[in-house]
Amino acid sequence: MNKVPVISIVDDDESGRIALSSLVRSMGCEPSLFSCAEDFLACAKSYGTDCLISDVQMPGMSGLDLQSELLSKGHDIPIIFITAYPEELVQKRAKSAGAICFLSKPFDGQVMIDCIEQILRNRETGLIVN
Protein backbone atom coordinates (compact mmCIF):
# COMPACT_ATOMS: atom_id res chain seq x y z
CA MET A 1 0.00 0.00 0.00
CA ASN A 2 1.40 3.40 -0.98
CA LYS A 3 1.79 6.12 1.62
CA VAL A 4 -0.45 9.14 1.08
CA PRO A 5 1.81 12.19 0.62
CA VAL A 6 1.63 14.72 3.45
CA ILE A 7 1.70 18.37 2.42
CA SER A 8 2.26 20.79 5.31
CA ILE A 9 0.85 24.28 4.92
CA VAL A 10 2.21 27.11 7.08
CA ASP A 11 0.32 30.38 6.64
CA ASP A 12 -1.00 32.89 9.15
CA ASP A 13 -3.98 33.58 6.86
CA GLU A 14 -6.71 31.08 7.77
CA SER A 15 -8.59 31.43 4.47
CA GLY A 16 -5.34 30.77 2.58
CA ARG A 17 -4.67 27.65 4.64
CA ILE A 18 -8.19 26.35 4.03
CA ALA A 19 -8.02 27.02 0.27
CA LEU A 20 -4.65 25.27 -0.02
CA SER A 21 -5.93 22.42 2.12
CA SER A 22 -8.80 21.86 -0.34
CA LEU A 23 -6.41 21.93 -3.28
CA VAL A 24 -4.07 19.43 -1.61
CA ARG A 25 -6.98 17.09 -0.77
CA SER A 26 -8.20 17.27 -4.39
CA MET A 27 -4.79 15.88 -5.40
CA GLY A 28 -5.21 12.89 -3.09
CA CYS A 29 -2.70 14.20 -0.56
CA GLU A 30 -3.09 14.76 3.17
CA PRO A 31 -2.85 18.40 4.28
CA SER A 32 -1.33 19.29 7.63
CA LEU A 33 -2.12 22.88 8.65
CA PHE A 34 -0.14 25.30 10.81
CA SER A 35 -0.85 28.96 11.53
CA CYS A 36 2.80 29.79 12.20
CA ALA A 37 6.31 28.48 11.64
CA GLU A 38 6.82 27.92 15.36
CA ASP A 39 3.86 25.49 15.48
CA PHE A 40 5.26 23.57 12.52
CA LEU A 41 8.66 23.25 14.21
CA ALA A 42 7.05 22.15 17.49
CA CYS A 43 5.10 19.33 15.83
CA ALA A 44 7.17 16.15 15.78
CA LYS A 45 5.18 14.65 12.90
CA SER A 46 5.81 17.72 10.74
CA TYR A 47 9.23 16.36 9.85
CA GLY A 48 7.55 13.47 8.04
CA THR A 49 6.06 15.89 5.54
CA ASP A 50 6.70 15.29 1.85
CA CYS A 51 6.35 18.95 0.89
CA LEU A 52 6.08 22.23 2.77
CA ILE A 53 4.09 25.20 1.50
CA SER A 54 4.95 28.30 3.51
CA ASP A 55 4.04 31.95 3.39
CA VAL A 56 7.11 34.18 3.39
CA GLN A 57 5.84 36.94 5.66
CA MET A 58 4.21 35.91 8.92
CA PRO A 59 4.19 37.29 12.44
CA GLY A 60 7.04 35.83 14.46
CA MET A 61 9.26 33.56 12.43
CA SER A 62 9.17 34.21 8.68
CA GLY A 63 9.08 31.49 6.05
CA LEU A 64 12.74 32.15 5.24
CA ASP A 65 13.62 31.81 8.93
CA LEU A 66 11.70 28.51 8.97
CA GLN A 67 13.68 27.31 5.95
CA SER A 68 16.98 28.24 7.65
CA GLU A 69 15.95 26.50 10.87
CA LEU A 70 14.99 23.31 9.05
CA LEU A 71 18.25 23.25 7.11
CA SER A 72 20.30 23.88 10.27
CA LYS A 73 18.62 20.82 11.85
CA GLY A 74 19.33 18.67 8.78
CA HIS A 75 15.72 18.56 7.54
CA ASP A 76 15.84 18.97 3.76
CA ILE A 77 12.10 19.30 3.13
CA PRO A 78 11.14 20.54 -0.35
CA ILE A 79 9.56 23.99 0.06
CA ILE A 80 7.12 26.01 -2.01
CA PHE A 81 7.02 29.63 -0.91
CA ILE A 82 3.99 31.85 -1.40
CA THR A 83 3.92 35.60 -0.85
CA ALA A 84 1.80 38.68 -1.40
CA TYR A 85 4.99 40.76 -1.51
CA PRO A 86 7.27 39.26 -4.16
CA GLU A 87 10.72 40.76 -3.83
CA GLU A 88 13.53 39.60 -6.09
CA LEU A 89 16.10 39.45 -3.28
CA VAL A 90 13.78 37.35 -1.11
CA GLN A 91 13.08 35.00 -4.01
CA LYS A 92 16.81 34.62 -4.75
CA ARG A 93 17.55 33.89 -1.08
CA ALA A 94 14.76 31.28 -0.90
CA LYS A 95 15.80 29.56 -4.12
CA SER A 96 19.51 29.60 -3.28
CA ALA A 97 18.66 27.81 -0.02
CA GLY A 98 16.76 25.14 -1.96
CA ALA A 99 13.16 26.32 -2.41
CA ILE A 100 11.54 24.52 -5.33
CA CYS A 101 8.93 27.14 -6.23
CA PHE A 102 8.28 30.77 -5.28
CA LEU A 103 4.74 31.91 -6.10
CA SER A 104 3.18 35.37 -5.87
CA LYS A 105 -0.33 35.66 -4.40
CA PRO A 106 -2.76 35.34 -5.97
CA PHE A 107 -1.42 32.36 -7.89
CA ASP A 108 -3.08 30.00 -10.32
CA GLY A 109 -4.09 26.74 -8.67
CA GLN A 110 -2.65 24.74 -11.56
CA VAL A 111 0.76 26.32 -10.99
CA MET A 112 0.64 25.13 -7.36
CA ILE A 113 -0.45 21.65 -8.48
CA ASP A 114 2.44 21.55 -10.95
CA CYS A 115 4.93 22.49 -8.19
CA ILE A 116 3.58 19.85 -5.80
CA GLU A 117 3.55 17.17 -8.50
CA GLN A 118 7.16 18.03 -9.43
CA ILE A 119 8.23 17.61 -5.80
CA LEU A 120 6.35 14.34 -5.35
CA ARG A 121 7.74 12.94 -8.63
CA ASN A 122 11.27 13.93 -7.63
CA ARG A 123 10.88 12.39 -4.17
CA GLU A 124 9.72 9.11 -5.75
CA THR A 125 12.75 8.98 -8.02
CA GLY A 126 15.13 10.27 -5.34
CA LEU A 127 15.82 13.49 -7.23
CA ILE A 128 15.30 16.95 -5.82
CA VAL A 129 15.72 19.56 -8.52
CA ASN A 130 15.51 23.30 -7.89
Side-chain angles (χ1 to χ4, degrees):
M1 187 165 145
N2 290 337
K3 175 187 169 286
V4 174
V6 175
I7 311 296
S8 292
I9 301 163
V10 181
D11 193 340
D12 60 309
D13 175 44
E14 183 178 16
S15 62
R17 283 193 314 272
I18 292 169
L20 282 169
S21 174
S22 295
L23 180 73
V24 165
R25 274 195 189 89
S26 76
M27 296 176 67
C29 299
E30 178 186 334
S32 185
L33 308 180
F34 301 90
S35 62
C36 65
E38 293 86 351
D39 287 351
F40 177 81
L41 290 171
C43 181
K45 73 175 189 172
S46 65
Y47 298 111
T49 192
D50 296 290
C51 172
L52 170 61
I53 301 170
S54 178
D55 194 0
V56 172
Q57 293 184 324
M58 298 179 284
M61 183 180 275
S62 73
L64 293 178
D65 293 338
L66 172 58
Q67 181 185 38
S68 294
E69 183 70 17
L70 288 169
L71 290 172
S72 74
K73 291 182 176 185
H75 300 291
D76 190 20
I77 300 169
I79 299 175
I80 299 169
F81 279 113
I82 56 176
T83 184
Y85 307 99
E87 297 176 21
E88 190 174 334
L89 288 175
V90 172
Q91 180 176 355
K92 283 182 181 181
R93 179 177 163 202
K95 289 243 178 179
S96 71
I100 305 301
C101 296
F102 192 96
L103 307 178
S104 299
K105 295 179 186 179
F107 50 83
D108 182 271
Q110 186 60 51
V111 174
M112 178 62 77
I113 289 169
D114 292 346
C115 288
I116 294 169
E117 287 178 343
Q118 173 191 349
I119 287 169
L120 296 178
R121 242 187 343 268
N122 291 342
R123 286 185 79 76
E124 283 179 9
T125 61
L127 299 173
I128 297 297
V129 179
N130 293 343

